[in-house]
């Protein structure tokens, strides 16, 4: 059992000269999924560059769950603002999937920064969620290196952009 947004430590025991190191990854699946737990791992660093060489039958040691970054721990909140960059979207995907699966009708604004369109993880799923009823999701993609035809937001997520999409804080 885990909360949406939590993370786990995984050590892959793959042999074949591949590194055996413990790393933490966010659980990107929803706790409503009873058949599996998933993490989304981008092939980026020295270790993760080998993640694609993991095969069925390889074993792993998993320690989980950890962390308190979860909307369910804040039951009095009535609307949420999520801000993510790149693969940092994974804990938020776990929470959004959980909201969808449990039919939480809460307003959520997601400001999601990437360099290029092709780097937007979960783009199709986010668009489908935005068209659905649960949660009441508004996704704002912000690209720092967009292609010529990009029609969305460009630059960085800054105070002005947060205030424009989320409103000014009271107090």
């Amino acid at each position: 059992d885990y909360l949406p947004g939590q993370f786990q430590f995984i050590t892959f025991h793959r042999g074949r000269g591949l590194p055996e190191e413990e790393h933490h990854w966010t659980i990107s699946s929803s706790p409503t999924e009873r058949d599996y737990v998933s993490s989304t791992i981008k092939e980026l660093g020295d270790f993760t560059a080998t993640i694609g060489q993991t095969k069925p039958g390889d074993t792993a040691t998993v320690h989980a769950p950890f962390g308190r970054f979860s909307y369910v721990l804040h039951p009095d909140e009535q609307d949420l603002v999520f801000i993510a960059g790149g693969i940092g979207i994974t804990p938020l995907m776990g929470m959004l999937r959980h909201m969808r699966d449990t039919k939480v009708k809460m307003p959520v604004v997601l400001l999601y920064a990437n360099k290029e369109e092709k780097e937007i993880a979960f783009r199709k799923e986010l668009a489908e969620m935005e068209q659905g009823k649960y949660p009441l999701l508004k996704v704002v993609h912000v690209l720092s290196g967009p292609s010529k035809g990009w029609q969305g937001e460009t630059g960085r997520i800054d105070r002005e952009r947060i205030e424009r999409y989320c409103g000014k804080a009271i107090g």
Side-chain angles (χ1 to χ4, degrees):
D1 291 337
Y2 62 96
L3 300 176
Q6 288 190 303
F7 66 95
Q8 58 192 346
F9 287 94
I10 304 175
T11 303
F12 291 101
H13 311 285
R14 303 174 293 176
R16 303 184 303 280
L18 296 170
E20 187 172 305
E21 305 170 11
E22 182 178 71
H23 290 268
H24 68 280
W25 286 289
T26 302
I27 301 169
S28 55
S29 54
S30 168
T32 59
E33 292 293 343
R34 303 311 295 173
D35 295 334
Y36 66 90
V37 174
S38 66
S39 288
T40 305
I41 303 169
K42 185 174 182 179
E43 293 182 10
L44 186 64
D46 291 341
F47 177 80
T48 56
T50 70
I51 203 68
Q53 296 175 50
T54 306
K55 296 180 179 180
D58 287 345
T59 60
T61 303
V62 179
H63 299 280
F66 296 97
R68 297 190 47 77
F69 182 54
S70 182
Y71 84 97
V72 298
L73 298 176
H74 304 277
D76 295 333
E77 296 302 324
Q78 297 188 8
D79 53 89
L80 298 171
V81 175
F82 288 167
I83 301 174
I87 202 65
I89 188 76
T90 55
L92 305 179
M93 282 307 296
M95 289 188 252
L96 291 169
R97 288 170 170 162
H98 185 261
M99 288 180 206
R100 176 196 60 206
D101 297 347
T102 59
K103 297 185 176 9
V104 172
K105 200 165 192 163
M106 178 184 293
V108 180
V109 174
L110 168 62
L111 299 172
Y112 186 21
N114 284 280
K115 184 176 180 184
E116 303 172 286
E117 269 183 270
K118 67 181 180 182
E119 295 177 355
I120 300 172
F122 308 108
R123 186 174 187 183
K124 182 180 176 190
E125 186 176 1
L126 286 167
E128 290 169 357
M129 281 186 191
E130 199 170 15
Q131 298 303 311
K133 294 181 180 181
Y134 309 101
L136 301 173
L137 180 63
K138 168 67 177 161
V139 179
V140 180
H141 293 287
V142 182
L143 300 183
S144 62
S147 62
K148 198 172 193 173
W150 176 252
Q151 297 294 313
E153 294 283 339
T154 61
R156 307 268 185 209
I157 297 175
D158 57 11
R159 180 184 187 129
E160 180 277 325
R161 201 173 319 257
I162 293 168
E163 288 178 349
R164 183 162 26 107
Y165 284 99
C166 307
K168 292 185 178 188
I170 299 172

